[in-house]
Amino acid sequence: MTNQGEIMAEKRAASWRWSKTGETQRRLLDAARDVFAESGYLDANIADIVERAGSSTGSLYHHFGGKAELYTALWDRHDSAHLEQVRAAVAAARRAGTSDPLELFCVGARAFLDGSWQRRDVAAVFLDNDGPPGFERRRREDRLEWIRQNSALLGPADTSRNRIMLDVVTDVIVESSREVVLHCRTRKQATAVADFMCELLRKLSV
């Protein structure tokens, strides 16, 4: 019969294996971010990615399946970080007493731009349409989901006016993020872009 000490040893071993797996994935994703940013998706070389990660081609295929899946996983990590940052900012604003839907929307939009500034190295990877086959469809689907989430604060897309408004305000955030990633060199500049973005959002949502 397995004693308590053996059980604890097995749990520690499993935890170590999981930790090691997570660290390997992180290094591969970080390396992929750098190589994709330098070369673009099409010209990125798996050999360069695994060399920079200090890993192996076999490990890359084991964890991600290939270059296309690695690119998508990088997008998922980036998108999830944005989502968590926005949710946390809106939740904090609610706790602080903000209840106006438009102001909460602006809080979330600012958090999105802050994430774009903090992670501008990886955000730059996705600015151009240089991705694996099918990725643009994934981005369109994510954008539709984003619009659906925006409607929770700004109102349902049940009229032509509301549908157009939701499309436009979403595009304002996307283009503001592009400005931050491509052209802002300081946080002060990024903050100025966020201020202008919120000014536009308030005008468009009247």
Side-chain angles (χ1 to χ4, degrees):
M1 180 179 294
T2 304
N3 60 38
Q4 188 66 25
E6 290 173 335
I7 292 174
M8 292 301 295
E10 289 175 1
K11 287 183 177 180
R12 285 195 296 270
S15 176
W16 180 85
R17 285 193 297 271
W18 175 253
S19 176
K20 186 177 180 182
T21 295
E23 174 62 18
T24 299
Q25 291 175 342
R26 184 193 64 76
R27 286 191 287 105
L28 284 166
L29 285 169
D30 288 347
R33 173 200 63 204
D34 295 341
V35 173
F36 288 143
E38 293 167 5
S39 304
Y41 172 78
L42 292 178
D43 293 330
N45 192 302
I46 285 179
D48 292 336
I49 294 172
V50 297
E51 180 181 2
R52 191 167 302 199
S55 187
S56 67
T57 302
S59 181
L60 186 150
Y61 279 102
H62 171 72
H63 288 291
F64 295 103
K67 187 169 78 166
E69 293 83 358
L70 184 60
Y71 187 92
T72 302
L74 188 64
W75 166 262
D76 287 340
R77 186 176 73 168
H78 177 59
D79 191 50
S80 295
H82 258 141
L83 183 60
E84 289 305 312
Q85 198 161 349
V86 169
R87 284 177 173 169
V90 172
R94 288 185 190 277
R95 289 194 299 270
T98 302
S99 58
D100 180 77
L102 179 56
E103 290 309 309
L104 289 170
F105 184 74
C106 286
V107 167
R110 280 186 178 277
F112 186 89
L113 253 63
D114 192 42
S116 296
W117 167 255
Q118 293 171 359
R119 295 178 295 278
R120 55 195 180 278
D121 53 350
V122 66
V125 171
F126 303 108
L127 289 181
D128 297 320
N129 296 325
D130 178 29
F135 183 70
E136 276 308 301
R137 178 179 179 181
R138 166 68 186 278
R139 291 187 68 165
R140 287 194 299 271
E141 291 172 350
D142 286 350
R143 183 180 184 277
L144 289 174
E145 174 60 20
W146 190 8
I147 290 173
R148 188 193 66 77
Q149 292 175 9
N150 289 344
S151 72
L153 284 175
L154 298 180
D158 55 356
T159 66
S160 296
R161 181 186 183 279
N162 284 0
R163 284 190 291 272
I164 294 169
M165 187 268 293
L166 285 167
D167 276 346
V168 170
V169 297
T170 300
D171 284 342
V172 167
I173 299 171
V174 170
E175 292 307 313
S176 298
S177 174
R178 177 182 290 271
E179 179 69 18
V180 164
V181 172
L182 291 180
H183 301 294
C184 291
R185 297 293 175 263
T186 65
R187 181 173 286 278
K188 183 177 180 180
Q189 291 174 335
T191 299
V193 171
D195 290 342
F196 180 63
M197 174 192 67
C198 287
E199 182 183 337
L200 282 178
L201 293 176
R202 291 187 182 99
K203 290 178 178 178
L204 289 166
S205 303
V206 171

